[in-house]
Amino acid sequence: MSLMALREQLNGLVNSMFLEGLLDDQFEQLQMLQDESSPGFIAELITLFCGDSERILAELTKLLDQAVVDYQKVDAFVHQLKGSSSSVGAQHVKLACVQFRQFCEEHNKEGLKGIYFFRCLRALNVVKHEYYLLRGKFDTMLQLEQRIQAYESKQQI
Amino acid sequence: MSSPRGPKACGGGAADRPIHVLAVDDSSVDRAVIARLLRSSKYRVTTVDSGKKALELLGLEPNVNMIITDYWMPEMTGYELLKIVKESSELREIPVVIMSSENVPNRINRCLEEGAEDFLLKPVRPSDVARLCNRMR
């Protein structure tokens, strides 16, 4: 595939992610910070975000699997994930975290705790769904970037 | 008192030594973001993941022109770090900026009353960093 075609594919992918709301304005601001002095910034950031997110999702799964759920710990982890998704511009993941935290808070109300637990579990699944959807596209984005950079460095020889 | 250079050239210190910012945040993602934001404005940046490590570094490295710290951190909050810095005769002149993902007016006021230079709401963006340009020591 030609360099131009690769660039078009990458731009198309990123634009569609903005249009669908997977990414917001924060990501756009961060893209502008990548330059010759830090060519790998976005790739590094995405890698950090994914590693962090998967660690948190694993912890959340474990916490909700306990006989007695520690909702304070659950909330602390969701807060972390909300923070990092907000910092990279992962809008859908962030919104899913906001929703999740609301269910965590509701759990503290009396009565029908079973239902609230179920809602939390479902909220976690929504976060996972949004995260893995985003991750798939991030993976493609990084692969395309790598191929483009390989092309560009070959051209400079 | 405006500089003839643009905001991007904010990093030059008094003796043309780059301005050194210490960034404190327990989130690796947020550290990467704040570091990149500051470096693209030509600041020299050191990142640490806790208040305790920040104090260790400040003990060793006197030439820090600004501390920018997250509010919510396990073990030592940004507020607690701020208090320690402001109560220390060696460190109290260093401007401290607090970052938080939550917009809690009481929290913001408390930090400003304790001597914080500014309070930034996360996600932090280039315009926030540009604002800090004139606050460096």
Side-chain angles (χ1 to χ4, degrees):
Chain A
M1 200 184 254
S2 74
L3 181 56
M4 195 169 75
L6 281 174
R7 285 206 183 112
E8 272 175 18
Q9 216 184 343
L10 179 58
N11 288 336
L13 173 62
V14 176
N15 283 336
S16 74
M17 290 168 81
F18 281 120
L19 280 173
E20 288 167 39
L22 258 60
L23 296 173
D24 63 25
D25 178 69
Q26 176 70 6
F27 187 81
E28 198 175 351
Q29 300 246 348
L30 295 174
Q31 275 184 308
M32 297 195 288
L33 295 176
Q34 177 160 294
D35 59 23
E36 314 80 42
S37 68
S38 70
F41 170 59
I42 292 293
E44 181 207 338
L45 193 61
I46 287 174
T47 306
L48 281 173
F49 171 68
C50 291
D52 217 41
S53 303
E54 287 172 38
R55 174 188 59 89
I56 291 172
L57 290 173
E59 294 286 349
L60 286 169
T61 307
K62 250 195 314 187
L63 284 169
L64 286 178
D65 206 25
Q66 302 300 307
V68 179
V69 177
D70 186 341
Y71 284 96
Q72 255 190 332
K73 280 198 182 142
V74 170
D75 186 68
F77 276 118
V78 181
H79 173 77
Q80 265 185 59
L81 184 54
K82 176 180 155 247
S84 54
S85 55
S86 163
S87 291
V88 307
Q91 186 169 237
H92 281 181
V93 175
K94 178 188 75 173
L95 292 172
C97 288
V98 170
Q99 217 14 305
F100 192 162
R101 285 189 92 195
Q102 279 175 350
F103 288 137
C104 279
E105 282 169 20
E106 281 180 20
H107 171 271
N108 295 325
K109 295 191 194 143
E110 282 309 308
L112 295 180
K113 294 204 168 176
I115 286 188
Y116 294 125
F117 168 71
F118 173 72
R119 282 184 188 156
C120 283
L121 210 52
R122 214 170 45 179
L124 174 59
N125 283 338
V126 173
V127 175
K128 282 178 178 173
H129 171 83
E130 292 298 345
Y131 166 73
Y132 283 108
L133 191 65
L134 179 63
R135 210 200 91 170
K137 300 202 177 199
F138 271 158
D139 284 346
T140 308
M141 197 195 288
L142 293 187
Q143 279 167 31
L144 285 170
E145 251 200 16
Q146 269 177 359
R147 286 170 70 188
I148 289 169
Q149 283 174 358
Y151 234 117
E152 283 171 345
S153 54
K154 252 195 285 180
Q155 281 189 342
Q156 280 165 6
I157 295 173
Chain B
M1 201 171 61
S2 67
S3 165
R5 302 167 295 175
K8 275 245 153 184
C10 221
D16 259 319
R17 213 175 40 204
I19 287 179
H20 185 197
V21 181
L22 174 61
V24 191
D25 201 315
D26 60 318
S27 159
S28 59
V29 170
D30 287 350
R31 280 199 303 277
V33 170
I34 194 69
R36 183 69 215 124
L37 280 171
L38 291 166
R39 283 177 186 139
S40 68
S41 285
K42 307 298 180 219
Y43 299 123
R44 175 182 155 215
V45 185
T46 303
T47 61
V48 294
D49 64 6
S50 71
K52 178 159 166 257
K53 289 202 185 132
L55 291 171
E56 281 168 12
L57 188 130
L58 288 164
L60 297 170
E61 161 85 67
N63 295 318
V64 169
N65 303 97
M66 177 175 276
I67 299 165
I68 179 164
T69 177
D70 188 27
Y71 181 89
W72 251 143
M73 294 186 290
E75 289 167 21
M76 190 192 295
T77 65
Y79 176 74
E80 286 161 353
L81 176 61
L82 166 69
K83 277 187 71 168
I84 292 172
V85 167
K86 292 302 164 186
E87 281 166 15
S88 146
S89 50
E90 299 101 342
L91 303 176
R92 72 160 63 107
E93 297 301 315
I94 305 176
V96 181
V97 172
I98 312 273
M99 301 181 281
S100 175
S101 57
E102 292 168 319
N103 189 352
V104 181
N106 284 341
R107 178 185 296 179
I108 297 173
N109 287 333
R110 233 173 15 136
C111 289
L112 293 174
E113 277 166 24
E114 202 59 44
E117 193 67 33
D118 206 339
F119 194 102
L120 300 178
L121 275 180
K122 286 180 169 181
V124 182
R125 7 193 72 193
S127 53
D128 296 316
V129 171
R131 209 164 90 190
L132 301 178
C133 194
N134 298 321
R135 304 334 184 45
M136 305 284 173
R137 182 170 62 156

